[in-house]
Amino acid sequence: MASLFPWVTTIQILSFLQIPHLSTGQFRLHTPNNVVIRVAGEDAILPCYLLSPRFPLGPAVQWTLVRPLESIEVSTYKGGTQTESQGKGYQGRTEFFTSQLRRGNLSLKLKNIQVTDKGKYACQVDVSDWHEEAYIELDVTGPYRILPPNNPVIGVIGTDVILPCRLSVTKLTGSFKVQWKLFRTSALIHEVSCSGEIQTETQGERHHGRTELSVAEMNQGNFSLKLKHVQASDKAEYICSLDSKSWHDEMVVELDVTGRFKILPLSNPVVRVIGEDVILPCQLSATIIPSSITVQWILIQPSRKPVEIFYSGRFNEDWQDQRSWGGMELFYTEWTKGNMSLKLNNVQLPDKGKYVCTVAAGGWYDKAAIELEVTATGNRQRRGEFRRGGQGHRKTPAKRTKKSELKEKKE
């Protein structure tokens, strides 16, 4: 009987039977790590594995660096010809694990990584009409980094301030360049370049003669900037950056500015009747108040330890629980006007004592004490109290008449 398919040779049939026919669900790509972190100059392995009961013949594997506006070819392995091609800028820097490809290891070794290699990489596989891809992030760090500062730094008008910028290492070798700039405008403040014994230094016009960088300190990893005679206009965000060979790092320092404030004189004592509310005044004299100012209220009473009522934006919860008969509050919306007063609701006899208000910003601070007296009767005098109920006005003391003076003498 003649063959129904005379054009199909025995060799073609055998070749067809040797091709593994895998459906899409029979294999998938796997990257065990989402992020790979390496130091500049080292080699990095970008892991990618094909999970399948049988590995397909002749897969095409391509690695690309995915940028927002483009994809850059890194390296491609063509399983049919068993050849590797490398993208521009990656010649001699990539390597597939060819001996392990048949076992599903499609990982790529990237040699001598640089900061420019940092980014998102795609591992793409094509088998016949099947295509799959997986992603992994490569983070490149330097042999050192700039340590994050404690923001903000507070400068007092008329004094000097240090804007901190330190490395994670205490010794820096080779050529490098340090720059300080304004964050918003990128205006240069101070720049120092060091190459061996050759050093160049540049200052920006706005801060000319008001900044200092120590080369000796920079060699020890300290790039902190000294800003002299702080002005109100110096309040801003500043960038400290370091460029060394193929490495770059930078961080932002926030400078807040405060005046040389004082707490206005208080008229003591403040007298209240049980059940009334009271505002214990603490008003600053300065008009420039930093948002990061620190305020503290302490209560001092005989025969007991001082109690910290409020500090750095928080009330003492234990004291709030003890003072269950009334709430406490500060006028946060008026802090920028220098009003750090404390309000006590429904005062009782245990509230009696000396209250100390301390205000600090940068290296500057002031404190003042006010005595609170609590009486059980309504017959009391408010002796020249400096009352502030959110209006910011000074209440004048009640005038004494001759009639009241005679009455007091009789008593």
Side-chain angles (χ1 to χ4, degrees), residues 200-211:
T200 59
E201 191 167 0
T202 306
Q203 285 185 319
E205 292 183 7
R206 176 178 169 181
H207 298 82
H208 189 75
R210 294 179 54 217
T211 59

Side-chain angles (χ1 to χ4, degrees), residues 309-329:
I309 299 174
F310 179 89
Y311 179 73
S312 189
R314 296 186 63 181
F315 280 101
N316 183 330
E317 293 182 0
D318 292 339
W319 179 249
Q320 283 182 309
D321 292 340
Q322 291 182 39
R323 197 179 181 279
S324 58
W325 54 84
M328 301 177 288
E329 62 180 288

Side-chain angles (χ1 to χ4, degrees), residues 119-365:
K120 184 178 182 180
Y121 288 78
C123 171
Q124 304 172 72
V125 180
D126 286 283
V127 180
S128 188
D129 59 348
W130 180 84
H131 173 88
E132 186 66 50
E133 57 188 50
Y135 297 91
I136 189 165
E137 195 83 22
L138 174 62
D139 193 3
V140 183
T141 66
Y144 44 77
R145 62 185 179 90
I146 298 178
L147 300 175
N150 293 321
N151 279 323
V153 175
I154 301 177
V156 180
I157 292 177
T159 65
D160 301 344
V161 67
I162 301 295
L163 302 180
C165 183
R166 291 179 177 273
L167 283 184
S168 57
V169 296
T170 56
K171 188 174 182 179
L172 184 63
T173 58
S175 302
F176 61 87
K177 180 175 70 175
V178 177
Q179 279 189 335
W180 278 91
K181 292 183 177 181
L182 285 172
F183 177 73
R184 294 193 179 275
T185 64
S186 296
L188 179 67
I189 298 173
H190 205 122
E191 176 182 299
V192 173
S193 297
C194 295
S195 180
E197 297 182 357
I198 302 175
Q199 301 166 2
T200 59
E201 191 167 0
T202 306
Q203 285 185 319
E205 292 183 7
R206 176 178 169 181
H207 298 82
H208 189 75
R210 294 179 54 217
T211 59
E212 283 185 10
L213 276 173
S214 170
V215 175
E217 287 290 321
M218 286 193 290
N219 287 323
Q220 301 300 316
N222 183 8
F223 308 131
S224 301
L225 180 73
K226 184 177 183 180
L227 180 59
K228 304 176 184 178
H229 310 299
V230 171
Q231 304 169 6
S233 58
D234 291 328
K235 180 178 179 178
E237 291 178 313
Y238 298 78
I239 296 178
C240 172
S241 65
L242 169 67
D243 288 278
S244 175
K245 294 182 180 180
S246 61
W247 177 243
H248 171 87
D249 197 13
E250 62 183 39
M251 63 89 186
V252 177
V253 180
E254 180 185 353
L255 174 62
D256 206 349
V257 176
T258 179
R260 296 190 182 191
F261 56 79
K262 286 187 177 296
I263 298 176
L264 296 178
L266 308 177
S267 296
N268 276 297
V270 171
V271 183
R272 286 293 181 274
V273 174
I274 290 175
E276 289 186 335
D277 299 340
V278 63
I279 294 177
L280 303 177
C282 185
Q283 176 67 45
L284 303 187
S285 60
T287 55
I288 300 177
I289 310 296
S291 58
S292 53
I293 200 165
T294 300
V295 180
Q296 180 189 49
W297 276 95
I298 292 178
L299 171 60
I300 301 175
Q301 296 174 316
S303 304
R304 65 177 298 177
K305 292 182 179 180
V307 178
E308 185 177 72
I309 299 174
F310 179 89
Y311 179 73
S312 189
R314 296 186 63 181
F315 280 101
N316 183 330
E317 293 182 0
D318 292 339
W319 179 249
Q320 283 182 309
D321 292 340
Q322 291 182 39
R323 197 179 181 279
S324 58
W325 54 84
M328 301 177 288
E329 62 180 288
L330 274 86
F331 304 96
Y332 295 110
T333 58
E334 296 189 19
W335 277 22
T336 56
K337 302 175 184 177
N339 183 11
M340 313 300 172
S341 304
L342 171 67
K343 182 179 181 180
L344 302 179
N345 297 324
N346 187 30
V347 295
Q348 302 295 319
L349 290 176
D351 290 322
K352 181 179 179 180
K354 180 185 291 185
Y355 291 77
V356 180
C357 174
T358 303
V359 183
W364 190 263
Y365 81 98

